[in-house]
Amino acid sequence: MSKTVVKFGGSSLASAAQIKKAAAIIRSDEARRFVVVSAPGKRDSSDTKVTDLLYRCCDLAAAGEKFDEPLSLIRDRFSGILEELGVTMDLGREIETIRAHLTNGPQREYMASRGEYLNAKVISAYLGFDFLDAAKCVVFLEDGSFDAETTNQKLSAAISGSSGVVIPGFYGATGDGTIRTFSRGGSDVTGAIVARAAQADLYENWTDVSGMLAADPRIVPDPRSIHYITYQELRELAYMGASVMHEDAVFPVRKAGIPINIRNTNAPGDEGTMIVPTLPEGYTSQRVTGIAGKTGFSSIHIEKSMMNTQVGFGATLLQILAAHDLPFEHCPTGIDTMSVVVHTDHLDPVRQSVMDEISQRLHPDILKVEDGLAMIAVVGEGMVFSKGTAAGIFQAISDAGINIRMIDQGSSEMNIIIGVQEEDYALAINSIYQSVIKTV
Ligand code: ASP
């Protein structure tokens, strides 16, 4: 029988009504036997996530202040859910355990994990599934890094043969039982880890949108949804700011070749987005999968005549950046010119010293920094197979009267990166979307 790991996010489990929707989705398919849950999220825009209430309790307790108010909000939240679901659980005892922890030197990560812990207990009872505490099988090392291989062994052993199990997302523990968490939104990562351990056929990530959009809807009105995207394309778009799930959630499933399906708990009939190792037949004709971008870049521009004959020029430049802990994003070069694109935020603290060292060690004819740049990534594996995509992109930008400041094409030919001035950013994205993405 096929195996599906389902992960439900905070908005999908924010209330008893939402939990009922999630349960109906789980019960509608026997393959959905491995369930990973977030803590209850926001019920509406003015609501507070349970995880944030837990952090607030912890901060108040650490400052020696009263934490009764946020703690009673958490208790009320869960007791309301329990009552409406008709589930009985000793909530009073659970809350007292949390209160005792808060009074005796609270640990932030332990506190943050309690939302997932309690929600998984409630939902497992409601579904009649087993509860598996992530502290027992999601392993962290003493330095807080995640131990993927030990986790995989422990988790596989714990869930193999299970006919239904609910696992809290977001946290695990070190060998001595100290609770550690992933970064915010980390239940997505737990879902991926469970999918790998279960050798699942599919990892379904249930959220409140029907998949990923081909462009940011705050910039492009009504962008189309993406049906299929490869792991690599997702990585490129996510790196440039398109977010649909926690970035680290791709690695475990990618390693195991398990597809991810982003689905909408509020519209379960929608197909959502499939994140796959390779695009299915027919989809290679999809030239461009999506577009994303970011503002806040600077370009360090260097000119020196006969630069091309000076072996090690580029290496020295990059060494200077590395010595200042300054990562670079792109590095387009000409015969006698070289530019390095960096985040302005990263450059600012070391700007003077980097410029001084470049002048002293490389003696450039011209050295200048251009701030206020935006980088736009047009991503699509199908670009390799299609003639004229690049021409279409540049035509669109030129028709919009925008000056291109930089072009970089990744060696995979999966992306074209375009640098423009920040004031042209939204217009450039819109123009490219309308002429090369909307129409394919
Ligand atoms: N509850 C955690 C958060 O709010 C983790 C998650 O929902 O994935 O970040």
Side-chain angles (χ1 to χ4, degrees):
M1 188 175 54
S2 67
K3 287 180 268 185
T4 301
V5 168
V6 288
K7 179 260 163 178
F8 288 89
S11 60
S12 299
L13 305 171
S15 62
Q18 286 299 93
I19 294 175
K20 286 181 184 172
K21 285 187 199 169
I25 289 166
I26 295 165
R27 289 181 179 133
S28 70
D29 183 349
E30 286 198 326
R32 295 180 177 136
R33 282 178 285 145
F34 308 95
V35 181
V36 175
V37 299
S38 279
K42 291 183 178 199
R43 289 161 290 190
D44 54 59
S45 56
S46 61
D47 202 8
T48 310
K49 290 178 172 190
V50 164
T51 309
D52 290 320
L53 291 172
L54 287 159
Y55 279 126
R56 199 184 299 164
C57 287
C58 190
D59 292 342
L60 289 168
E65 288 174 38
K66 281 196 156 60
F67 49 80
D68 302 75
E69 197 203 311
L71 187 58
S72 57
L73 287 174
I74 296 167
R75 190 198 52 223
D76 293 351
R77 195 77 189 272
F78 279 106
S79 71
I81 289 176
L82 284 166
E83 192 180 331
E84 224 181 296
L85 293 180
V87 170
T88 42
M89 188 177 120
D90 196 348
L91 181 63
R93 207 190 61 190
E94 300 285 359
I95 297 292
E96 280 323 302
T97 308
I98 295 175
R99 186 189 298 281
H101 178 87
L102 283 166
T103 335
N104 299 314
Q107 282 173 298
R108 237 176 119 69
E109 292 178 66
Y110 169 83
M111 280 305 295
S113 73
R114 295 302 88 185
E116 271 70 14
Y117 170 83
L118 288 175
N119 220 19
K121 285 205 142 182
V122 173
I123 293 165
S124 59
Y126 183 61
L127 288 169
F129 279 18
D130 295 330
F131 165 77
L132 175 62
D133 191 350
K136 295 211 170 79
C137 40
V138 176
V139 184
F140 282 78
L141 299 171
E142 299 304 320
D143 66 1
S145 60
F146 168 61
D147 182 350
E149 295 317 312
T150 314
T151 299
N152 198 44
Q153 285 161 18
K154 287 197 168 202
L155 250 181
S156 316
I159 61 179
S160 76
S162 170
S163 56
V165 61
V166 180
I167 304 166
F170 188 38
Y171 74 93
T174 57
D176 67 2
T178 306
I179 298 286
R180 304 301 303 244
T181 56
F182 295 108
S183 55
R184 294 298 305 261
S187 299
D188 284 341
V189 184
T190 310
I193 293 165
V194 174
R196 180 183 168 211
Q199 296 182 303
D201 302 282
L202 182 64
Y203 170 27
E204 287 178 346
N205 190 299
W206 290 83
T207 173
D208 53 6
V209 288
S210 292
M212 217 178 148
L213 299 170
D216 184 342
R218 289 166 300 184
I219 298 177
V220 172
D222 201 19
R224 68 172 166 83
S225 0
I226 299 176
H227 287 145
Y228 282 94
I229 182 168
T230 65
Y231 300 131
Q232 189 56 37
E233 288 175 328
L234 176 70
R235 170 119 179 87
E236 304 268 355
L237 285 173
Y239 188 72
M240 288 303 271
S243 79
V244 67
M245 64 193 291
H246 195 296
E247 251 208 276
D248 296 345
V250 174
F251 298 104
V253 279
R254 185 174 181 175
K255 206 167 182 175
I258 301 165
I260 308 170
N261 191 191
I262 309 285
R263 300 283 292 266
N264 188 347
T265 307
N266 303 318
D270 290 356
E271 286 171 16
T273 299
M274 284 294 284
I275 305 165
V276 289
T278 48
L279 294 173
E281 273 304 300
Y283 267 85
T284 43
S285 62
Q286 171 184 294
R287 291 184 298 167
V288 178
T289 301
I291 185 167
K294 277 186 190 167
T295 54
F297 290 94
S298 300
S299 171
I300 304 172
H301 177 78
I302 299 168
E303 280 184 39
K304 183 165 188 184
S305 60
M306 305 305 283
M307 184 194 284
N308 63 324
T309 59
Q310 205 175 320
V311 175
F313 190 95
T316 307
L317 176 61
L318 298 183
Q319 270 165 16
I320 295 171
L321 301 193
H324 286 84
D325 244 345
L326 178 60
F328 74 96
E329 302 293 313
H330 306 284
C331 186
T333 55
I335 298 172
D336 287 336
T337 61
M338 193 165 170
S339 300
V340 215
V341 178
V342 296
H343 281 280
T344 312
D345 282 355
H346 297 161
L347 174 65
D348 277 340
V350 292
R351 187 184 285 252
Q352 197 53 53
S353 141
V354 166
M355 299 304 269
D356 290 347
E357 201 172 330
I358 295 175
S359 300
Q360 284 154 18
R361 290 179 61 187
L362 293 169
H363 309 290
D365 300 333
I366 295 175
L367 170 63
K368 59 181 183 195
V369 178
E370 183 181 357
D371 293 317
L373 293 177
M375 294 293 141
I376 297 169
V378 189
V379 175
E381 291 199 353
M383 284 201 284
V384 185
F385 304 99
S386 68
K387 291 190 192 117
T389 308
I393 293 168
F394 298 127
Q395 190 63 51
I397 299 189
S398 141
D399 289 349
I402 295 169
N403 186 18
I404 297 179
R405 307 292 303 120
M406 191 211 86
I407 301 167
D408 197 3
Q409 179 170 28
S411 48
S412 61
E413 289 192 56
M414 186 188 294
N415 62 6
I416 293 175
I417 310 275
I418 298 149
V420 297
Q421 276 165 336
E422 280 176 346
E423 53 267 32
D424 295 328
Y425 173 63
L427 180 61
I429 290 209
N430 250 309
S431 312
I432 298 170
Y433 177 83
Q434 301 303 338
S435 62
V436 298
I437 303 184
K438 192 180 173 182
T439 51
V440 283

